[in-house]
Amino acid sequence: MECASRDEIIAIQNEKIVKQVKHVYENVAYYRDLMDKAGVKPEDIKSIEDIRKLPFLTKNDLREAYPCGMLAVPMNDCVRIHSTSGTTGKRVVTFYTQHDIDIWEECCARALAAAGGTEEDVCQVCYGYGLFTGGMGLHGGSHKLGSLTLPMSTGNTERQIQFMQDLKSTILCCTPSYAAYIGETVKEMGLTPDDLSLKMGIFGAEPWTEEMRRDIEAKLGIKAYDIYGLTEMCGPGVAFECSEQKGMHINEDHFYAEIIDPETGEPLPDGTVGELVFTSLDREAYPLLRYRTRDLCVLTREKCSCGRNTVKMCKPLGRSDDMLIIRGVNVFPSQIETVLFKEGFPENYRIEVDRVNNTDTLDIFVELPERLFSDTVSSVAMHEKKLAGAIKTMLGINPVVHLVTPKSIERSEGKAVRVIDRRKLH
Ligand code: DLL
């Protein structure tokens, strides 16, 4: 399937979308109302091209329909739920039939295989298990591939490393920030990558830069692959990197991707930055049509050296709702991370935004690398000034940089919280 031609992929999508729209219209009253309001009937959708006629869904719709309003099969037919972490408002709960689980695990198995994983591998899954989709998703993918699966979940990092050594784990699955933390702990334990058998990592669930990739690759002596997904579509495995490590192949036989202008909702051509929209083509229990992810992204359709013909998405450039507007300037945390790595500060950081006397403030706390820790106060001040200058060049606004003691910023075992915006509290 993964090496299907473009024509074959489109034929599959054409067939699936017609069935899926009918399934949703007949079984999800909430979406039927949206279609009726938009004046679209299932018969109007004859091929994947017609998808543009369908109304969008947003996270707000899912919250409104919480918990079962988007369910398209009887609850009895479902075998599992998962949920988003939902820091604000209601969580999103997503349901799966056995068929949905099978598809999801297949998608994750593809991701592992694309990175070179086989049944010979030992796959240590250190994404959180439970309602979060990371643990169970990669776990299922690893089983499907036939690898020996270590269901570690997060936490107890020294024990993770002990297992890694004792069971000779070859694949590590976790968030990139946890991978970096594991790398640090390996060093602290007096070990080097040569003491481990790791070959590759499957890292995702949060934004990470190319600089961070290189840092993790060096710390753990592995190749680090990106994996993308979201709870609303199934979880991890919607898209994954291949050996080329340039963009993530979307599992297009299950998910149809579009890029739209976030302001107008108009579709944008390949190669243009916009909001990523997904349609699940064959999910039974929780089939979302034209779901707006809020992730800003670019799609490309060039031929890939790995032989897959599926559309690729770039690393998400940020979320439209993660973008900070500081003194009127659009700032993505990833821009700051890129500068920090480039300037030789690959350790942990935290961004704090506040408003004092009606003016936005931007404070960036960065851990001192060990090599600079014994420096004099004046040389630390000089580094702070230099970093602030580099960030000003990138963003156009002046931050205050604070170099802090190594290891003083809290480490993350799941998704890292790097930004604290206190302005929302006012
Ligand atoms: O994070 C699913 C997942 C688990 C993906 C494990 C990969 C690995 P949610 O918690 O619903 O689901 O968060 C989804 O996380 O809309 C993106 O903003 C972000 N995200 C996910 N993968 C990546 C990635 C899981 N590779 C939201 N790069 C998405 C950047 C990512 N952001």
Side-chain angles (χ1 to χ4, degrees):
M1 177 58 232
E2 285 176 80
C3 291
S5 68
R6 284 304 314 158
D7 286 349
E8 284 167 320
I9 295 168
I10 292 164
I12 291 171
Q13 293 181 329
N14 284 341
E15 195 189 320
K16 286 190 177 178
I17 190 69
V18 172
K19 268 204 212 150
Q20 187 71 315
V21 172
K22 199 162 169 283
H23 172 56
V24 172
Y25 192 82
E26 284 170 4
N27 296 296
V28 183
Y30 189 97
Y31 198 75
R32 179 163 61 240
D33 284 350
L34 290 181
M35 280 178 67
D36 287 346
K37 274 190 204 129
V40 197
K41 292 277 170 241
E43 306 76 73
D44 298 330
I45 310 300
K46 298 191 177 71
S47 73
I48 200 71
E49 284 286 297
D50 293 327
I51 205 165
R52 294 175 177 197
K53 297 177 184 165
L54 293 169
F56 292 116
L57 277 173
T58 64
K59 197 160 211 147
N60 260 349
D61 290 308
L62 306 191
R63 286 189 177 136
E64 235 171 77
Y66 175 89
C68 302
M70 288 291 169
L71 194 58
V73 297
M75 186 94 92
N76 258 349
D77 293 352
C78 298
V79 296
R80 190 165 339 141
I81 66 152
H82 279 283
S83 172
T84 55
S85 45
T87 43
T88 51
K90 274 185 194 153
R91 283 168 174 269
V92 170
V93 172
T94 171
F95 296 79
Y96 305 73
T97 61
Q98 186 56 51
H99 162 268
D100 298 337
I101 297 275
D102 290 343
I103 287 175
W104 179 27
E105 292 181 345
E106 166 82 26
C107 289
C108 289
R110 286 180 188 174
L112 288 160
T118 70
E119 70 274 10
E120 304 293 325
D121 279 295
V122 179
C123 180
Q124 185 155 340
V125 183
C126 318
Y127 285 110
Y129 279 62
L131 286 172
F132 177 55
T133 53
M136 301 287 278
L138 268 308
H139 177 104
S142 168
H143 261 225
K144 200 148 247 179
L145 194 63
S147 307
L148 174 62
T149 310
L150 276 53
M152 303 294 293
S153 198
T154 56
N156 205 336
T157 308
E158 293 200 2
R159 192 188 59 181
Q160 299 271 11
I161 294 166
Q162 189 70 58
F163 263 88
M164 231 172 252
Q165 283 193 288
D166 296 347
L167 287 141
K168 303 207 175 343
S169 305
T170 52
I171 307 179
L172 172 65
C173 302
C174 61
T175 58
S177 51
Y178 193 38
Y181 180 25
I182 292 176
E184 256 176 47
T185 313
V186 165
K187 194 171 164 207
E188 272 169 25
M189 288 166 74
L191 303 171
T192 69
D194 289 343
D195 297 309
L196 307 173
S197 308
L198 286 180
K199 292 190 302 200
M200 67 188 94
I202 309 289
F203 305 132
E206 64 183 5
W208 55 311
T209 54
E210 284 302 323
E211 290 77 12
M212 189 158 171
R213 185 204 307 260
R214 281 192 284 279
D215 180 58
I216 295 170
E217 289 189 335
K219 274 186 176 139
L220 290 170
I222 56 170
K223 275 220 161 273
Y225 295 89
D226 205 351
I227 182 168
Y228 169 90
L230 61 163
T231 315
E232 294 88 331
M233 283 296 121
C234 66
V238 171
F240 58 84
E241 264 183 350
C242 63
S243 49
E244 227 185 44
Q245 290 184 302
K246 266 196 214 128
M248 291 181 269
H249 289 279
I250 294 175
N251 276 312
E252 272 189 286
D253 49 334
H254 302 299
F255 309 100
Y256 183 74
E258 300 170 81
I259 292 284
I260 61 158
D261 179 326
E263 301 296 324
T264 63
E266 282 305 308
L268 294 173
D270 287 350
T272 320
V273 181
E275 182 179 344
L276 193 53
V277 173
F278 276 114
T279 294
S280 57
L281 292 170
D282 48 13
R283 182 103 178 256
E284 289 178 342
Y286 200 77
L288 302 186
L289 304 178
R290 299 197 91 196
Y291 180 67
R292 294 183 61 158
T293 63
R294 295 317 224 168
D295 289 322
L296 297 174
C297 204
V298 176
L299 296 181
T300 48
R301 253 166 260 260
E302 284 130 38
K303 205 159 172 51
C304 184
S305 61
C306 73
R308 289 176 186 80
N309 296 307
T310 39
V311 63
K312 274 184 178 182
M313 58 180 272
C314 69
K315 264 181 185 302
L317 306 166
R319 291 175 60 82
S320 47
D321 48 4
D322 268 2
M323 187 181 76
L324 297 160
I325 303 182
I326 303 171
R327 288 172 230 152
V329 176
N330 297 349
V331 174
F332 285 104
S334 60
Q335 295 176 296
I336 296 176
E337 182 176 304
T338 299
V339 176
L340 296 181
F341 273 81
K342 276 206 181 114
E343 295 292 317
F345 291 82
E347 312 303 326
N348 225 352
Y349 66 93
R350 190 176 68 237
I351 299 167
E352 290 191 12
V353 187
D354 207 341
R355 183 161 292 168
V356 179
N357 297 332
N358 294 321
T359 306
D360 293 335
T361 58
L362 170 62
D363 287 86
I364 304 172
F365 296 82
V366 186
E367 282 180 7
L368 268 168
E370 297 283 354
R371 68 185 151 80
L372 299 179
F373 188 45
S374 52
D375 278 16
T376 57
V377 173
S378 64
S379 103
V380 168
M382 194 238 346
H383 284 298
E384 285 176 337
K385 221 171 139 198
K386 189 161 169 272
L387 256 187
I391 292 165
K392 160 99 198 282
T393 307
M394 165 72 111
L395 304 178
I397 50 171
N398 259 321
V400 180
V401 172
H402 310 260
L403 285 173
V404 297
T405 330
K407 319 253 177 292
S408 60
I409 296 175
E410 204 186 332
R411 296 297 187 268
S412 138
E413 293 168 354
K415 295 191 193 227
V417 180
R418 304 232 192 247
V419 180
I420 299 173
D421 189 347
R422 297 190 209 283
R423 294 173 300 179
K424 287 182 193 140
L425 304 175
H426 293 173

